[in-house]
Amino acid sequence: MNARFIDRESDRQLLNALRAQQPAHAPQVLVVSGLAGAGKTTLAAHWLHEHAEDFPDGQLYADLGGQIAEGENGPVPPTAVLEAFLVALGAPSVPTGTAQRSALWRSMTSGLRLAVLLDNAFTAAQVRPLLLGTPTGLTLVTSRSNLTGLRVDGASVHRLDGLPAESAVELLAIGGGTRVAREPTAAREVVRLCGRLPLAVALASAQLALRPHRSVSALADSLSSGRGAVDTLRVDGKAVMRTALDMSYDVLPDESRALYRRMGLLPSDRHDLSLLTGLAGDGEGTGDTEHAADIATHALVEANLLEEAGPSTYRFHDLVQPHARRLGEELEDSGGHERTLRRFVDWCLSTAASAESILTPSHRLPGYRLPVEGVPPTPLDGPEEALAWLDTHRNGLMGAVRHSAQVGWYASCWRLTDLIWPLFLRLRPSQMWIEAHRLGLEAARRSGSRQGQGRMLTSGAIGLRNAGRYPEAADWYRQALALATADDDIRQQAQALNGLGHISLLARRLDEARDHFEQALRLRESIGYRRGAALSRRRLGETALAGGDLATAAEQLRRAGTELDELGETFEATRVLALLGHVQDRCGDPAGVRRLQEALARFQVGDARSEHWEARCLEWLGQAAQSGGDHAESVRHYEAARDIFRRLSPGDAQRLDDRLPQP
C-alpha cells in the first residue's frame, strides 16, 4: 500500500486549501472522488496521518460498502455505522432509529476534535446521517461518485485523477528497475494503458518484478492486446484492471493460484494466516503446509493481489476480490467449493471457541465438541486480542453463519452463532445479533437440537430487547421457558424468567417483574447457581427501588453485592455498590455517600471502568448534596454528570440541565 503512495503532493495541497477555505463556524466536510483504483483511500489515510495532531480526540473509520458487487448485501446502512461509532465512543445504549442515533452521534461528538473517514460511500443520503455537527471535527469521505448532494451540507469535493505520468513511471520502476529507464517510450505506454491509476500501475510493476527477464515493451504489447478494450480503459479503467489482474494471476506459482481461487470463494473480507494454512493444506501435496502457505501468501502480497491488514491478517483490494471469486467459481470443481467452505466454517468455529473461552468462559455449552479434523484456530493472546479478532472478522463470521444456513450445515450454523456470544455482548451489533439468531434458531430446529433452540431463544431475545422490540423479545423468552420446562432444564428456565422480568421492569410493570425475578431466584438457588442468583437479587433490588420500597431494595442489593464480591465479579459488584449507596442515601444513611464515592472511584479506572455509571454516581452524589443543603457541591456534581451525559445520552443531559440553576 505504501509503495503505491508516490507523489500526490498537489492533491495533498489542494485538500489543505479546501479545508482552509471552509467557514470556521461550519462543520468541516471533504469528499475525495475518483475512479476505482485511483488511490482515494490511500490518499485520504496519508493526508489524515499528516494532520493527526489536529485531531487529538482520535480518528474513526468506516467502510460504507459502496463498491460491493450486485447480488451481495449492498452498501452498509448508516444506522449500522452509527451503532458501531456510538459503541466505540462508549455509549451505554444505542437508540433504534437512524434519526435518534444520528442525534446522539452529533451530541456525543460536539466539541470533539475528531476526524472521521467514511470510505467507499455510495450516495449522499448514506453519508448525511454520519456527518459531524461540530466545526472542531472533520469528516473525510471517499467515493467513486462525486456525491454532489453533499454540497448542500457544505462539502468541498476533490476529484482524484490518475498519477502524473512521471510519477506513474516512477511507480512502474519499483518493480521494473532499470528496464523502465532503458525503454522510456514503452514505459509511458504501459502507464497510459493503466490509466495512470496507482493500483493498475502497481500490478504492472509487480509483473515486471516477478518476471525479471521480460521487457517493458512486451508488457505494453500484452496489455494492449489483452481481453479488455483500450476504449473501456479510458472510460472507467475496468478492462485494464481485469487484464492486469489476469496477468498477475497467470504468472503466480501453482500454490499461490490455488490459494487465490479458494480465498475468492469465501464470504469474508479478512483472512488470517492460520486460515490460509488450512486452505492450502488440502492433502494434495507434501511437506510443511504452514511454510507452503506462508510462501504462497507472500507471492500474492508481492504481486499486489493481497494486502496486509494487520499482523498475519490479509485482505483483498475491492477490485481484486471479485476477480478472485470469478476464478474460484470457474476453475474450482464442486468438490473443491464445498471443501474450501467447510474448512472456512470449521476455522470460524475453532477460533470463535477460543475467543469464547477467554472472554466468557462461563458461557461455554456443556458437551460441545469442535470438529475433530478442523482447521487449527488463530492463536489469541488474552482478552484484548480475542475481542479484536471478533471485531475484525465479524463480517466473515456472519458470512459463515449465512452460508451454513444456506447449504444445510445446521449444527454449524447455530453453534457458531452461540460461540460468538462475546461479540454480541461486548460490541452490540444489533442487526447482526438478530439476524444470526434468527438463522441459528431455524437451524437448531432443523437439526433437532433442543439445547440449541434454547440457547438461540434466550440469547436472541436479548438482542431483540436491546433493539427495543419488547413484545418479540418476550415471545422468544416464553418459547424458551416452555422448551426448558418440557426438558426440565432448571437453569434455562431461570434464564428465560429473568429475561421476562427485565422486560417487565423496563415497561414499568413492577409486580409482574418481581414475580418473574423471584421465580428465577428460587430456581437458581435450587441448583446452586450463585452468580445467577446474585444477578436476580440485583434485579429485585432495582424493582423495589422503582416501587419506592427502599428497605427491601437495600436488603436485596446488600446480599447481591456480597455474593458478587465473593465470586470476583468486579464490574457487577460495583454496579450493585452504587445502587446500594443511592438507596441508603435516600434512606438518610450517611454510609450511602461513602459507598457512592467508592463506586465512583472504581468506575473511573480499572476493571469496572464505565463512563455511564460514573455519570450515574455523580448525579446521585449531586442529589445527596442537594438533600443535605450543600448547593455548591450539588451543582458541581450535576455539572460533571451532565458533561459526561452530553456525550452519551442527550436525554439524561437534559434532565441534569433542568436540575441546574439557569443563568
Side-chain angles (χ1 to χ4, degrees):
M1 197 72 162
N2 291 336
R4 295 202 296 273
F5 192 75
I6 290 179
D7 192 16
R8 294 301 191 194
E9 178 61 28
S10 61
D11 296 293
R12 300 203 299 266
Q13 293 300 325
L14 184 54
L15 287 177
N16 290 340
L18 289 174
R19 183 184 176 205
Q21 292 169 8
Q22 299 223 328
H25 63 277
Q28 307 287 297
V29 184
L30 297 178
V31 176
V32 178
S33 68
L35 299 174
K40 301 180 292 296
T41 301
T42 303
L43 171 64
H46 276 271
W47 186 77
L48 283 178
H49 179 72
E50 292 174 353
H51 294 275
E53 292 183 359
D54 295 344
F55 309 107
D57 291 317
Q59 299 182 15
L60 291 174
Y61 170 85
D63 186 344
L64 302 188
Q67 299 179 14
I68 294 177
E70 292 183 6
E72 298 185 11
N73 289 334
V76 179
T79 185
V81 179
L82 285 167
E83 180 178 53
F85 280 177
L86 291 170
V87 170
L89 291 180
S93 62
V94 178
T96 57
T98 300
Q100 293 83 357
R101 288 182 179 182
S102 184
L104 178 58
W105 161 246
R106 294 191 176 207
S107 175
M108 291 183 68
T109 56
S110 177
L112 293 183
R113 297 173 65 187
L114 178 74
V116 178
L117 175 54
L118 302 176
D119 201 15
N120 296 329
F122 187 59
T123 64
Q126 182 192 26
V127 171
R128 193 164 288 113
L130 308 174
L131 296 177
L132 295 169
T134 175
T136 59
L138 171 71
T139 305
L140 182 58
V141 186
T142 72
S143 177
R144 290 187 182 182
S145 63
N146 289 325
L147 300 183
T148 305
L150 287 182
R151 291 184 184 273
V152 301
D153 299 280
S156 297
V157 180
H158 171 53
R159 177 176 171 80
L160 187 65
D161 295 317
L163 289 167
E166 296 78 11
S167 299
V169 170
E170 180 184 352
L171 177 56
L172 184 67
I174 291 177
T178 57
R179 284 171 290 170
V180 171
R182 290 197 302 266
E183 300 181 78
T185 302
R188 286 194 296 272
E189 178 66 5
V190 167
V191 300
R192 185 188 71 81
L193 291 168
C194 290
R196 294 182 287 108
L197 299 179
L199 178 59
V201 176
L203 290 168
S205 178
Q207 292 305 305
L208 293 174
L210 289 170
R211 301 179 66 175
H213 301 293
R214 190 183 197 190
S215 68
V216 180
S217 298
L219 175 60
D221 291 339
S222 179
L223 283 173
S224 62
S225 61
R227 285 176 283 176
V230 174
D231 287 342
T232 304
L233 167 66
R234 294 194 187 104
V235 173
D236 58 13
K238 289 183 179 179
V240 71
M241 298 300 294
R242 187 162 56 248
T243 299
L245 290 170
D246 284 341
M247 291 176 57
S248 295
Y249 171 82
D250 289 341
V251 299
L252 288 171
D254 290 344
E255 295 81 2
S256 296
R257 281 190 285 180
L259 182 59
Y260 182 74
R261 295 193 304 269
R262 293 166 190 165
M263 292 173 67
L265 293 171
L266 304 182
S268 178
D269 58 356
R270 293 293 187 275
H271 306 84
D272 286 0
L273 185 58
S274 60
L275 168 62
L276 303 185
T277 300
L279 295 181
D282 57 5
E284 297 176 1
T286 59
D288 187 341
T289 302
E290 184 174 353
H291 181 62
D294 189 47
I295 293 175
T297 303
H298 179 71
L300 292 173
V301 173
E302 287 296 306
N304 289 300
L305 292 171
L306 203 61
E307 300 174 349
E308 285 189 305
S312 299
T313 305
Y314 303 89
R315 67 177 293 271
F316 282 127
H317 184 277
D318 294 332
L319 298 177
V320 173
Q321 187 161 15
H323 180 266
R325 181 170 58 245
R326 177 174 62 84
L327 291 178
E329 292 170 349
E330 291 176 356
L331 301 179
E332 291 285 308
D333 58 31
S334 59
H337 281 212
E338 182 174 357
R339 184 166 54 250
T340 294
L341 287 160
R342 182 71 261 179
R343 286 176 177 270
F344 170 65
V345 171
D346 286 350
W347 170 77
C348 289
L349 286 164
S350 61
T351 312
S354 296
E356 181 199 47
S357 67
I358 293 170
L359 294 166
T360 54
S362 62
H363 184 262
R364 174 57 59 88
L365 194 65
Y368 176 74
R369 296 290 183 270
L370 291 173
V372 177
E373 298 180 357
V375 179
T378 295
L380 302 174
D381 184 15
E384 289 188 10
E385 197 166 296
L387 190 59
W389 181 86
L390 288 169
D391 192 13
T392 298
H393 293 277
R394 64 168 72 188
N395 292 336
L397 291 165
M398 191 63 226
V401 170
R402 292 190 187 109
H403 180 77
S404 296
Q406 290 167 0
V407 300
W409 297 344
Y410 297 126
S412 295
C413 178
W414 75 259
R415 284 176 172 174
L416 181 57
T417 300
D418 188 58
L419 285 170
I420 58 178
W421 167 248
L423 168 64
F424 301 128
L425 180 66
R426 300 289 187 93
L427 303 176
R428 295 178 288 166
S430 60
Q431 293 178 346
M432 176 184 173
W433 191 333
I434 294 170
E435 181 190 357
H437 282 82
R438 289 195 194 284
L439 293 173
L441 178 58
E442 179 63 21
R445 286 170 174 162
R446 287 178 175 269
S447 68
S449 173
R450 295 177 67 82
Q451 185 182 46
Q453 291 178 58
R455 294 286 281 221
M456 293 298 96
L457 286 166
T458 53
S459 298
I462 298 174
L464 291 166
R465 182 198 71 202
N466 289 347
R469 303 182 187 180
Y470 294 167
E472 191 174 3
D475 179 63
W476 279 44
Y477 276 130
R478 283 190 288 268
Q479 291 183 56
L481 179 59
L483 192 70
T485 301
D487 294 341
D488 199 26
D489 187 336
I490 303 300
R491 183 159 173 162
Q492 276 293 93
Q493 290 178 46
Q495 181 77 3
L497 287 166
N498 216 65
L500 286 168
H502 193 190
I503 291 174
S504 298
L505 176 58
L506 292 170
R508 302 291 295 181
R509 299 191 299 270
L510 301 185
D511 290 341
E512 184 179 291
R514 185 181 306 106
D515 289 343
H516 286 313
F517 290 139
E518 287 176 346
Q519 290 182 64
L521 174 62
R522 287 194 295 270
L523 291 173
R524 285 170 164 174
E525 288 182 331
S526 72
I527 58 174
Y529 182 24
R530 296 174 63 197
R531 180 181 183 276
L535 294 179
S536 290
R537 288 194 181 280
R538 177 204 157 187
R539 293 298 189 197
L540 282 167
E542 290 179 301
T543 305
L545 173 60
D549 185 353
L550 301 182
T552 300
E555 174 60 23
Q556 295 286 8
L557 292 169
R558 190 177 290 108
R559 293 183 62 180
T562 299
E563 192 79 359
L564 291 167
D565 276 328
E566 291 176 357
L567 294 170
E569 294 279 347
T570 305
F571 178 64
E572 294 293 350
T574 306
R575 291 206 290 182
V576 170
L577 178 67
L579 284 163
L580 178 59
H582 175 54
V583 170
Q584 289 179 316
D585 173 66
R586 288 184 56 178
C587 292
D589 185 346
V593 171
R594 293 195 297 271
R595 284 191 164 88
L596 282 170
Q597 291 171 336
E598 181 183 351
L600 175 63
R602 292 189 193 179
F603 286 130
Q604 289 173 329
V605 294
D607 294 342
R609 179 79 175 94
S610 170
E611 286 190 308
H612 173 75
W613 278 88
E614 178 185 354
R616 291 188 69 176
C617 283
L618 286 167
E619 181 178 0
W620 288 336
L621 284 168
Q623 291 177 12
Q626 186 175 13
S627 298
D630 192 337
H631 178 72
E633 183 74 355
S634 70
V635 169
R636 184 175 69 85
H637 285 310
Y638 284 148
E639 288 180 340
R642 180 196 58 191
D643 290 344
I644 296 175
F645 277 136
R646 276 180 173 169
R647 291 185 287 106
L648 304 180
S649 175
D652 288 324
Q654 183 61 53
R655 186 183 65 252
L656 269 298
D657 274 329
D658 294 341
R659 287 182 179 274
L660 289 165
Q662 299 303 311

